[in-house]
Amino acid sequence: MNLALAESTQEKVPSVLEDILKRISSDEKSTNLKQTDIFLVLLIVLLSENGFFLVADNQADTIEPQCLQLIDNKHLSKWKISTGVYELSFVLGGFSDSLIKLMLCPLGISSLINVVISDISPEVYSVCFPVSRYVVDPEASTIPMMFNDLKHLSDTFKTRIITPLKSTLLNHYGYSSASLVGLPEELIINILLYLPISNIINVAKTCRKLSLLLNNECFWHKLFLRDISSTKVSLTDCQEYKTLYRDMYTWQENSRNRVRCRTGSFCDYLNVCEYYSFPTNNPMWNVMF
């Protein structure tokens, strides 16, 4: 591929993409290509650019990236099941034992993509795309003019599908990756222990894997030892360290707040009240106002 999909313009697209579409549209049995068919070809090219091989019939029969132009209407028909959903299989180069299933489900003007590595993880990687944003005119006079904003498609698909897939596969086989979720769990925990609690909570919201990892009681035990320095609570008496951390951290912040109110200026007090959202029935409310 002499041109990446993300670098496409209305004058030029990757040659492999152009070859596939020309081959399909010139087939005698071909009808007018639908947006979803063209969008599926875009996904195949994107995965190919990132090291994934399309599986033709079985795991031993893969279509190499340089041979994608062999794709024709026969393949498109085979991948489309009776419900209108497309089902394809891929393998990542060097990891041919792990089959990756991709399903493209048309939903009106959008399409939902679900990807799963069934023999490694039950997690489903999903993203929904408005197909017409990228395939704007299936009947355009030239193939490049069919498309628009392919850089956005490429970047989003890499972020939501390709990077998590690679990270999961590499982590499963004992390799690290450039992605945070691709690192060993022990290393992720050690990195996160350098962050303040507010950032840790934000990290836990980013994906299911990190959320599950950061709900581990051993992790919260370490946070408790790090942040709750002055407490009379015996750690051996409590196993729910996340709940204990929350309660003690809140108590410490409230204590610091009371100190600020006693020693600070009136403006400091107002700032603290605003930050901590003091209720209007607080005894100090009527005194100050």
Side-chain angles (χ1 to χ4, degrees):
M1 293 178 194
N2 53 0
L3 180 73
L5 199 68
E7 301 168 340
S8 299
T9 66
Q10 289 193 325
E11 289 77 34
K12 191 173 183 181
V13 294
S15 57
V16 65
L17 173 62
E18 194 157 8
D19 290 342
I20 294 173
L21 293 178
K22 283 181 178 179
R23 182 181 181 86
I24 293 174
S25 59
S26 62
D27 193 325
E28 293 181 357
K29 298 180 180 180
S30 173
T31 57
N32 291 333
L33 284 176
K34 297 180 179 179
Q35 282 183 317
T36 311
D37 297 326
I38 300 172
F39 186 69
L40 179 67
V41 174
L42 287 176
L43 298 182
I44 293 172
V45 173
L46 263 175
L47 285 161
S48 175
E49 286 181 352
N50 288 275
F52 292 86
F53 295 168
L54 179 62
V55 177
D57 296 312
N58 53 63
Q59 196 162 345
D61 184 12
T62 58
I63 299 179
E64 301 292 335
Q66 63 270 23
C67 300
L68 287 181
Q69 62 268 26
L70 298 178
I71 296 174
D72 54 17
N73 281 288
K74 180 180 178 182
H75 286 98
L76 289 179
S77 301
K78 181 176 61 177
W79 294 327
K80 189 175 184 179
I81 60 178
S82 58
T83 58
V85 175
Y86 294 87
E87 292 187 0
L88 294 81
S89 298
F90 294 84
V91 292
L92 178 62
F95 302 92
S96 58
D97 292 336
S98 298
L99 201 62
I100 300 163
K101 293 286 187 179
L102 181 145
M103 288 170 286
L104 177 65
C105 313
L107 301 172
I109 61 174
S110 300
S111 286
L112 175 66
I113 301 167
N114 290 324
V115 183
V116 64
I117 316 173
S118 55
D119 60 334
I120 289 181
S121 171
E123 188 168 3
V124 179
Y125 305 100
S126 300
V127 62
C128 191
F129 284 113
V131 175
S132 58
R133 174 175 179 175
Y134 312 107
V135 185
V136 293
D137 186 4
E139 299 180 2
S141 56
T142 64
I143 289 177
M145 292 182 67
M146 291 181 179
F147 305 106
N148 181 55
D149 210 6
L150 293 185
K151 185 179 188 310
H152 180 270
L153 172 65
S154 178
D155 292 343
T156 305
F157 192 72
K158 286 180 182 178
T159 301
R160 299 290 298 276
I161 300 294
I162 290 174
T163 298
L165 275 179
K166 285 187 173 181
S167 297
T168 299
L169 282 165
L170 291 172
N171 195 34
H172 176 77
Y173 287 102
Y175 299 95
S176 60
S177 73
S179 169
L180 180 62
V181 294
L183 297 175
E185 292 184 356
E186 298 81 1
L187 186 55
I188 294 176
I189 288 177
N190 288 335
I191 291 172
L192 294 179
L193 286 173
Y194 285 97
L195 300 179
I197 185 61
S198 58
N199 290 349
I200 291 173
I201 292 172
N202 288 333
V203 169
K205 296 177 182 178
T206 58
C207 74
R208 183 179 177 184
K209 178 179 178 178
L210 291 175
S211 178
L212 292 173
L213 176 62
L214 298 186
N215 268 312
N216 186 284
E217 287 297 324
C218 293
F219 175 71
W220 285 97
H221 182 193
K222 293 180 179 181
L223 278 180
F224 191 97
L225 294 175
R226 186 195 73 175
D227 295 342
I228 313 299
S229 54
S230 57
T231 177
K232 296 180 181 180
V233 177
S234 173
L235 295 178
T236 58
D237 295 338
C238 181
Q239 298 301 317
E240 296 182 356
Y241 292 106
K242 183 178 181 180
T243 302
L244 181 60
Y245 180 97
R246 181 195 61 197
D247 295 342
M248 295 303 298
Y249 186 85
T250 302
W251 179 84
Q252 283 190 349
E253 289 301 312
N254 288 336
S255 298
R256 294 190 186 102
N257 176 42
R258 288 191 291 270
V259 171
R260 293 190 190 102
C261 291
R262 289 197 299 268
T263 61
S265 66
F266 179 69
C267 290
D268 291 335
Y269 175 79
L270 292 180
N271 291 335
V272 170
C273 285
E274 182 180 0
Y275 183 80
Y276 285 95
S277 302
F278 277 101
T280 55
N281 61 356
N282 189 294
M284 288 296 293
W285 186 269
N286 294 328
V287 173
M288 299 302 298
F289 294 93

